[in-house]
Amino acid sequence: MHNWEIAQGNSIWLALAGVLLVTFIVIGLLTKLPVTLRRPLLSFLVFVSGLFYALEYFLPTHMVLDHGVQVPENFLTDLIPNIINPLAQDLSALLFGLGLFSLMRIHFNNVVRQRSGWVNSLALLISTLSMMVFGFWSRANLHHPRWVDQVYHHLFDGVYQNMDAAMFSLIAFFILSASYRAFRIRSFEASILMTSALIVLLGLSFGGVITDKVPDYGLWSNFRIETWSSWILNIISSPGLRAIDFGVGLGGLAMGLRIWLGIEKGALFGD
Amino acid sequence: MNNTTNNEMPLLEKLQKIDRRILYLILIIVIAIPTIWPINIPNAPLPMSRDLWNTINATPPNKIVLLSSTWTKNTRGENQGQMEAILNQLMSRHIRFAISTFDPRGSQVALNLVNSVAKKYGYVYGKNWVDFGYQPNGVNYVKGISVDLIQTVKRDAVLKKPLQDLPVMKGIRNADNIQIVVEISASSSQYYWIQFLKPGVKVGFACTSVMAPEAIPYYTSHQLAGILWGAKGAYDYEQLNVEHHTGDWGSGRQYMGPLSAAFGLVILSIFVGNLAMFLSRKRTRQ
Amino acid sequence: MQHACDNWFVAFFEGALVLLIMVRIVKSMRGSIPFIRRIPGLNAIDEAIGRATEMGKPILMIPGILGLDIVSLQALNVFTHVTRTAARFATPIRMCVCDATLYTISQEVIQDAYQAEGKPELYDPDSVRFLSDQQFAFAASVAGLIQREQVAATFFLGSFFAESLIFAEVANSVGAIQVAGTVMTTQTPFFIAACDYVIIGDEFYAASAYLSKEPVATGSLVGQDYAKLLLTFFIVLGSIIYTVTGYAGGPQVPLIHELFADGGWTALLHSIRHLF
Amino acid sequence: MKITDRTIGIIAVICLIPISFGAYLYYLRFGQNGLNIFLGGLVTLAVYSTLYRENPIYRFAEHIYLGLAAGYGVVIAWSEVLSTQWYDPIFKQHQWLWLWILPLAIMAYFVFSKKHSWISRIPLVILSGFAAGTIFQGFVSQYFPQIQDSFKSLRPTIYTLQNPDPTPAAHILSISGAINNAIFLITLTSVLTYFFFSFEHKTKAIRGYAQVGRWLMMIGFGAIFGSTIMTRFALLVDRMYFILIEWMHLGHPII
């Protein structure tokens, strides 16, 4: 990637101006593009960007030394970590501003127009701002007072992380109410769902204690509850899920193919 | 007779459509009581916990153990107990060890835990243990240490010193000097080790119980030397530690009490729900 | 199997699967519309929208919690259908997304859907909301939204993880009628426990063919079936060979075992050479 | 006797006074980490209050949470992606070709334009193209090892019920192992049969087989449900430990 570099430090601004100029010309041209040509253009772009990965997979490789390990590569392989991944990540990160803008716009309007709940919106705006200020400030390399780190520590570890954990642990309550409601022996299906859930749950918890006196060797081990639960997981659950996954995988393959070839009617191409 | 069933009916119907908030309140109480006044639930360690314990216990003095600690506050309930139990065993047996993480937020969590346990055993950083820090590129890291550990990691994460200058790394060059890598994880990060670590080096997996079923086939095919299955794995490990005097009880046993109570509540609530449904159905049929 | 040349057999096999799908798509485009069996979860979509219309409350859609990928694009296809139906009855919609790129395309898709129904004036840009890209912050916010707006119907389609049950139970507590489907098989049981209608496994990918009866999607669905049949055939064949040879592990590996791992192509060539 | 949201809000605001006093006490007694624990307990209770019903306290906490997450997202987007992979290469290493990401990003912002919003699709189709292109390699490396693993022998190598040496290296298949393999294959194929959409399940045998597939799938789902319960409850137990022991000091801490 040495040829990417330009010699003079200041000329980067020149390059930036050039890029922006080209951008405006291209966008200007795009706005004049006839409606009928939009879809072919989009399909072409999808095809080209998809082609990269397809070629990377299908082209033959040779062995290259990387971090002391021989790895198979072709001339596209190196571009994935160096160009394509950063490009996709940079683009997503730059687009994050869009989402942020929409969030901020809604809540800013709430505050300005004093809609009901505007205090909450204000709290949201303030907390966003303070997280950004203290996040950047405490990460900045330049010298900053110690209390900045402390405030960030309270915001992140004290409030944010604990809210994360609290939200995560809410699921336990919902599991209880969902299983109370759903695990009724109403139909045959509901009953087997319940039975296998109970056996596995018992096998993982104090079920092992119930059958602790049963020897864990020979045929006796078949009467231990943890044997049952791992049997269900390995012999029924795993092939069942695998069969579903095969279908899901093929569905994804077909969908990827349709998008790549531009024959998918739907969300992406706007028809 | 008729009278009693008439009285029963509203109760049964109520039980069937019990307000979820009452269930939640019961759950809180059922967990709170054994948390404040701990109870001990008997336990029988699983073979896969035992295998992990034995492998780590057999570490010869010329090898180290690598703990890859990829968890944060979110799964503290399971992973902290597991890691603490393993650390107890390592330190009481005077085994050298290193830690690293695949999660940027995980390194501080791991450091805090190791430091608090190390105080108990007088373990010294740099002499008895070392931190390789956050490893953003998992594949390269694992491939790299298979060949040359010192060159791949270069500097430790706490003192920022070259690895070869630390006494803990004496005689440790590559994956052959690692007795076992234990991935303590909230996700399926064990695949890094299963796929890319030099074949022959043992891998253990201490995971949340969601991930365990997925990992069991790798244990049966001996790609994993042992598995700690969620909170039960932590309890198993503590029990093995106590049996062999390599550590004390910790959060594994502490949490199993409230956990078992909660499981009991789940089972009981399913039972009561079904019973109420059956009885009221029977009534309507009459 | 990072590259095709690690095992050409596998690459050819995948090529065959792709070919099967393509052939059926072309056939279907030429006008032979195939049969598709009933999928109860998908029939429920219109029922759920109808319920929301009766109650005059909004419907909520969530296209998973991952970014822009194949799965979320498929979810958006289904949501196009939902939005168009909702637009016909002027039922308000809410869509929460947790990725900014997905947010951008969702805006476009929803706007288009209203346009296609000839009711662009009903489109409200605030109905599509980016909430957060952090899993549980997103979940907390969705839970709040469900309760505040008392949504009447919810559609959770896409990739979901632990938060699936938070959405489903909170929506259940406000009495919403729920249609859910995810490609994450480990989350399906929670949807089964808490939702009214569940789309399991690749019924999710069948949805666009089923709802739109559009030739490309329908043909592709039939092609997928043939591909699935091919996979099943090979699994049965492999098992028969194992049974006949009595293989239970060990160094004497049957060829079919080697074919599906790295170096399978070399093994195949080797054994063909050996034959003559 | 329904308490209105306004009342809850007013009570919450009044409670702020003792709460700040409590926070100060925590800070005095336990220092920085003590304050974190205090804040953590407070927000945990605020989140849990939604279990009773949607209320102003939860709403307030939710908005703060969302705000912090948004701010954190910006910090991460810059410090872990843009600064190292975009800003530094351009302005420190002068790899100016990275500037060409800018036009793509600008195009995305056209989504707010009424007339030219379609331009925003350009960067998105490029990202979708990448997603579609990876599917070929992804499908192969994810599913072919599983196909290979699904070949199962039904012929025991040793005619006893029990395998004398259960390690895989022994290469022994007992009668019960063969039966297990058969059940494995039945589950796999019957579930696959259930997911055939375009073949009408005409014969009774196929319809029955697909039905068996559905039942076996339900057993599998039940098992997943059961094995997930422990993780979720462990988190709750840990949170309760945090609230009761670390925050309220109602018992003895373990470490």
Side-chain angles (χ1 to χ4, degrees):
Chain A
M1 289 209 302
H2 297 285
N3 49 346
W4 281 47
E5 297 174 19
I6 48 175
Q8 290 298 317
N10 280 335
S11 55
I12 199 78
W13 298 109
L14 209 66
L16 180 65
V19 166
L20 286 180
L21 187 71
V22 174
T23 308
F24 287 124
I25 293 171
V26 168
I27 289 178
L29 288 176
L30 282 175
T31 56
K32 295 278 177 287
L33 195 76
V35 181
T36 45
L37 285 182
R38 283 179 192 173
R39 190 185 163 108
L41 176 72
L42 296 178
S43 316
F44 173 75
L45 287 173
V46 155
F47 184 75
V48 170
S49 56
L51 189 67
F52 171 82
Y53 272 105
L55 282 181
E56 200 276 325
Y57 170 65
F58 282 110
L59 287 181
T61 57
H62 53 268
M63 298 308 264
V64 172
L65 199 70
D66 180 24
H67 287 81
V69 192
Q70 290 280 343
V71 285
E73 277 188 4
N74 54 39
F75 73 100
L76 292 171
T77 310
D78 221 25
L79 298 182
I80 293 179
N82 290 327
I83 309 245
I84 303 297
N85 282 351
L87 183 129
Q89 284 173 8
D90 287 346
L91 200 51
S92 307
L94 287 170
L95 259 53
F96 184 75
L98 259 172
L100 191 74
F101 174 74
S102 107
L103 187 70
M104 294 297 118
R105 188 187 58 188
I106 290 177
H107 290 282
F108 190 74
N109 283 342
N110 280 354
V111 174
V112 171
R113 299 195 186 136
Q114 305 239 327
R115 289 193 192 129
S116 73
W118 65 273
V119 181
N120 294 324
S121 296
L122 187 68
L124 185 141
L125 294 176
I126 291 173
S127 46
T128 309
L129 202 67
S130 47
M131 194 69 165
M132 274 162 64
V133 167
F134 289 106
F136 282 124
W137 201 354
S138 71
R139 271 158 205 253
N141 288 327
L142 41 123
H143 183 72
H144 55 261
R146 224 174 79 89
W147 61 268
V148 174
D149 286 338
Q150 284 168 1
V151 172
Y152 179 71
H153 182 53
H154 291 316
L155 285 177
F156 185 72
D157 294 316
V159 179
Y160 179 75
Q161 291 259 57
N162 276 310
M163 279 196 160
D164 240 14
M167 209 58 213
F168 206 163
S169 65
L170 271 189
I171 300 171
F173 292 100
F174 295 142
I175 280 190
L176 179 66
S177 58
S179 50
Y180 181 75
R181 206 181 52 244
F183 287 168
R184 300 276 165 85
I185 313 183
R186 254 185 237 108
S187 62
F188 183 63
E189 270 180 26
S191 329
I192 47 182
L193 192 74
M194 185 200 79
T195 315
S196 84
L198 278 184
I199 290 173
V200 172
L201 178 61
L202 276 174
L204 292 183
S205 53
F206 44 80
V209 177
I210 301 173
T211 53
D212 190 29
K213 293 286 173 287
V214 181
D216 62 350
Y217 51 82
L219 291 177
W220 283 109
S221 65
N222 289 327
F223 296 99
R224 289 172 69 92
I225 199 153
E226 67 258 32
T227 318
W228 298 356
S229 68
S230 58
W231 186 84
I232 289 181
L233 284 166
N234 286 327
I235 307 296
I236 307 270
S237 186
S238 132
L241 296 193
R242 182 176 291 176
I244 300 172
D245 275 342
F246 281 150
V248 169
L250 281 171
L253 182 70
M255 176 85 182
L257 193 71
R258 289 186 330 247
I259 289 177
W260 183 45
L261 297 178
I263 53 174
E264 170 75 4
K265 296 268 189 317
L268 195 58
F269 301 111
D271 49 20
Chain B
M1 179 69 197
N2 233 342
N3 217 350
T4 43
T5 39
N6 268 344
N7 288 340
E8 261 173 21
M9 192 199 80
L11 177 75
L12 288 174
E13 306 236 307
K14 255 188 221 157
L15 263 181
Q16 273 209 73
K17 292 183 197 125
I18 195 169
D19 193 334
R20 62 183 68 218
R21 282 172 280 195
I22 296 173
L23 279 179
Y24 297 157
L25 185 68
I26 297 172
L27 179 61
I28 288 177
I29 295 169
V30 156
I31 291 181
I33 291 171
T35 303
I36 299 171
W37 298 283
I39 51 168
N40 297 331
I41 302 289
N43 183 37
L46 293 170
M48 46 190 154
S49 318
R50 214 176 271 277
D51 281 352
L52 185 66
W53 191 91
N54 287 336
T55 315
I56 293 183
N57 215 44
T59 310
N62 61 349
K63 284 190 175 184
I64 62 164
V65 171
L66 176 57
L67 302 181
S68 175
S69 160
T70 311
W71 58 278
T72 55
K73 218 169 200 160
N74 275 341
T75 55
R76 192 180 78 152
E78 295 188 291
N79 292 129
Q80 177 167 296
Q82 297 167 338
M83 183 150 168
E84 202 189 313
I86 295 174
L87 286 173
N88 270 319
Q89 182 196 18
L90 288 171
M91 293 187 191
S92 63
R93 296 267 289 101
H94 304 290
I95 297 167
R96 289 183 284 169
F97 68 91
I99 59 173
S100 71
T101 178
F102 294 126
D103 184 334
R105 292 193 229 161
S107 64
Q108 196 55 45
V109 179
L111 268 181
N112 289 348
L113 184 62
V114 179
N115 278 326
S116 74
V117 182
K119 242 179 256 162
K120 217 164 40 179
Y121 293 93
Y123 248 51
V124 183
Y125 184 84
K127 184 168 154 257
N128 307 105
W129 68 285
V130 62
D131 181 13
F132 294 161
Y134 164 52
Q135 300 294 340
N137 189 338
V139 179
N140 280 353
Y141 168 62
V142 176
K143 279 183 180 170
I145 63 171
S146 301
V147 183
D148 191 341
L149 208 161
I150 305 281
Q151 269 309 308
T152 310
V153 183
K154 293 195 180 80
R155 286 165 188 275
D156 78 295
V158 175
L159 305 171
K160 313 275 183 215
K161 273 189 183 169
L163 272 194
Q164 60 266 33
D165 295 355
L166 296 173
V168 60
M169 295 305 290
K170 202 177 147 210
I172 309 297
R173 283 290 162 267
N174 57 31
D176 290 329
N177 308 113
I178 296 176
Q179 165 77 2
I180 183 172
V181 178
V182 187
E183 176 70 34
I184 304 159
S185 172
S187 58
S188 42
S189 44
Q190 83 279 17
Y191 288 120
Y192 284 124
W193 303 105
I194 292 177
Q195 287 177 0
F196 301 112
L197 189 64
K198 186 174 178 179
V201 183
K202 293 194 178 84
V203 181
F205 188 34
C207 56
T208 58
S209 51
V210 186
M211 304 313 303
E214 194 185 315
I216 286 176
Y218 295 93
Y219 168 70
T220 46
S221 65
H222 286 229
Q223 282 163 289
L224 288 174
I227 298 175
L228 291 191
W229 187 319
K232 164 134 180 73
Y235 191 9
D236 285 356
Y237 215 89
E238 275 169 19
Q239 188 170 355
L240 292 165
N241 272 344
V242 170
E243 276 171 17
H244 299 87
H245 307 288
T246 52
D248 212 346
W249 297 111
S251 62
R253 185 172 74 162
Q254 161 93 17
Y255 284 2
M256 201 40 107
L259 256 182
S260 304
F263 290 158
L265 178 66
V266 172
I267 293 166
L268 188 74
S269 72
I270 293 173
F271 181 73
V272 168
N274 276 303
L275 194 72
M277 187 187 73
F278 264 112
L279 290 179
S280 70
R281 219 188 242 174
K282 209 167 150 193
R283 241 204 64 82
T284 41
R285 228 176 274 149
Q286 274 174 4
Chain C
M1 288 182 234
Q2 295 298 309
H3 295 97
C5 62
D6 296 340
N7 184 354
W8 283 108
F9 174 78
V10 161
F12 286 134
F13 196 106
E14 191 185 25
L17 297 177
V18 166
L19 203 68
L20 274 175
I21 295 170
M22 280 313 293
V23 165
R24 296 309 305 199
I25 290 179
V26 171
K27 248 189 173 169
S28 172
M29 279 164 98
R30 285 196 182 148
S32 71
I33 297 295
F35 161 87
I36 298 177
R37 77 160 164 82
R38 216 178 81 86
I39 301 172
L42 295 173
N43 286 340
I45 289 182
D46 289 340
E47 182 198 333
I49 302 171
R51 253 272 297 274
T53 311
E54 272 168 33
M55 296 168 78
K57 287 178 184 170
I59 55 179
L60 173 71
M61 301 176 274
I62 299 178
I65 64 151
L66 289 184
L68 183 66
D69 58 7
I70 303 293
V71 180
S72 49
L73 283 173
Q74 170 64 16
L76 285 183
N77 279 350
V78 181
F79 289 159
T80 314
H81 173 88
V82 173
T83 311
R84 290 180 65 159
T85 318
R88 234 170 280 154
F89 301 115
T91 312
I93 60 156
R94 298 283 177 273
M95 185 162 175
C96 298
V97 289
C98 95
D99 180 83
T101 47
L102 199 56
Y103 165 73
T104 320
I105 194 125
S106 307
Q107 281 281 16
E108 277 279 289
V109 167
I110 299 302
Q111 197 173 355
D112 280 359
Y114 276 103
Q115 210 111 43
E117 283 299 317
K119 298 190 174 170
E121 72 285 353
L122 286 178
Y123 167 70
D124 168 18
D126 282 354
S127 63
V128 180
R129 288 181 198 172
F130 169 82
L131 294 176
S132 175
D133 62 338
Q134 306 287 318
Q135 185 184 12
F136 285 104
F138 181 73
S141 196
V142 169
L145 186 135
I146 291 174
Q147 287 174 318
R148 278 193 291 281
E149 307 220 348
Q150 294 280 314
V151 294
T154 58
F155 298 92
F156 307 127
L157 299 173
S159 311
F160 290 95
F161 297 90
E163 75 294 330
S164 61
L165 197 62
I166 299 182
F167 298 159
E169 270 297 289
V170 172
N172 182 285
S173 75
V174 299
I177 182 166
Q178 303 185 65
V179 181
T182 176
V183 294
M184 298 287 152
T185 37
T186 46
Q187 295 306 322
T188 313
F190 298 102
F191 280 144
I192 291 181
C195 295
D196 304 288
Y197 298 97
V198 182
I199 295 161
I200 302 171
D202 62 336
E203 290 177 350
F204 175 70
Y205 284 110
S208 48
Y210 192 78
L211 295 172
S212 67
K213 304 274 186 287
E214 193 268 320
V216 172
T218 326
S220 156
L221 188 62
V222 181
Q224 279 157 242
D225 268 5
Y226 280 101
K228 229 177 285 171
L229 204 60
L230 189 66
L231 285 189
T232 318
F233 170 75
F234 262 86
I235 289 169
V236 172
L237 181 74
S239 300
I240 290 174
I241 292 175
Y242 271 33
T243 309
V244 170
T245 55
Y247 175 68
Q252 289 293 324
V253 186
L255 178 63
I256 193 153
H257 180 92
E258 285 184 89
L259 276 181
F260 285 89
D262 280 356
W265 182 247
T266 335
L268 181 70
L269 289 183
H270 183 78
S271 56
I272 289 175
R273 230 173 275 139
H274 202 74
L275 216 60
F276 300 107
Chain D
M1 216 196 75
K2 200 162 163 101
I3 313 163
T4 59
D5 284 359
R6 178 171 286 270
T7 328
I8 297 178
I10 291 169
I11 294 172
V13 170
I14 295 170
C15 283
L16 273 179
I17 300 161
I19 284 170
S20 351
F21 184 65
Y24 181 65
L25 285 184
Y26 252 78
Y27 180 67
L28 280 188
R29 177 99 190 270
F30 306 106
Q32 292 290 333
N33 278 330
L35 193 55
N36 268 355
I37 288 175
F38 182 79
L39 288 170
L42 215 58
V43 296
T44 306
L45 290 191
V47 168
Y48 280 7
S49 74
T50 188
L51 289 172
Y52 179 67
R53 75 178 162 92
E54 213 277 325
N55 63 73
I57 299 171
Y58 174 76
R59 215 173 299 158
F60 189 70
E62 175 206 320
H63 280 81
I64 287 183
Y65 188 19
L66 201 56
L68 290 177
Y72 182 65
V74 175
V75 173
I76 289 297
W78 176 261
S79 65
E80 274 171 26
V81 182
L82 287 178
S83 84
T84 54
Q85 295 184 6
W86 191 67
Y87 182 85
D88 286 357
I90 293 174
F91 290 94
K92 293 197 177 142
Q93 291 143 29
H94 303 298
Q95 298 170 353
W96 64 278
L97 279 181
W98 284 113
L99 283 173
W100 287 109
I101 293 177
L102 220 47
L104 290 175
I106 291 173
M107 284 177 191
Y109 283 80
F110 269 75
V111 73
F112 295 116
S113 147
K114 279 243 151 55
K115 223 171 137 194
H116 302 297
S117 67
W118 77 276
I119 292 178
S120 69
R121 285 177 195 255
I122 288 176
L124 301 174
V125 293
I126 291 175
L127 288 178
S128 314
F130 289 146
T134 46
I135 204 96
F136 297 105
Q137 194 259 320
F139 183 81
V140 161
S141 55
Q142 193 176 349
Y143 294 107
F144 278 85
Q146 294 196 18
I147 296 175
Q148 187 198 35
D149 190 62
S150 305
F151 302 153
K152 300 280 175 190
S153 170
L154 303 180
R155 194 172 90 191
T157 54
I158 174 170
Y159 285 87
T160 55
L161 270 180
Q162 208 223 322
N163 192 343
D165 183 0
T167 55
H171 312 310
I172 294 172
L173 188 64
S174 62
I175 293 177
S176 44
I179 293 173
N180 278 346
N181 281 352
I183 297 173
F184 186 99
L185 280 175
I186 288 171
T187 312
L188 188 70
T189 49
S190 63
V191 175
L192 274 168
T193 311
Y194 175 77
F195 282 106
F196 282 119
F197 298 109
S198 60
F199 308 122
E200 203 168 353
H201 297 166
K202 272 183 199 142
T203 56
K204 218 173 181 182
I206 293 181
R207 219 179 303 136
Y209 201 53
Q211 185 61 50
V212 169
R214 193 174 161 89
W215 289 335
L216 288 167
M217 197 161 72
M218 288 300 151
I219 296 182
F221 283 146
I224 296 292
F225 197 104
S227 71
T228 313
I229 290 181
M230 180 144 98
T231 302
R232 303 294 180 245
F233 275 92
L235 293 175
L236 178 63
V237 167
D238 185 58
R239 257 306 88 178
M240 294 290 282
Y241 178 84
F242 174 77
I243 292 277
L244 296 168
I245 311 290
E246 291 178 22
W247 192 57
M248 293 161 92
H249 295 273
L250 284 178
H252 295 289
I254 24 181
I255 349 176

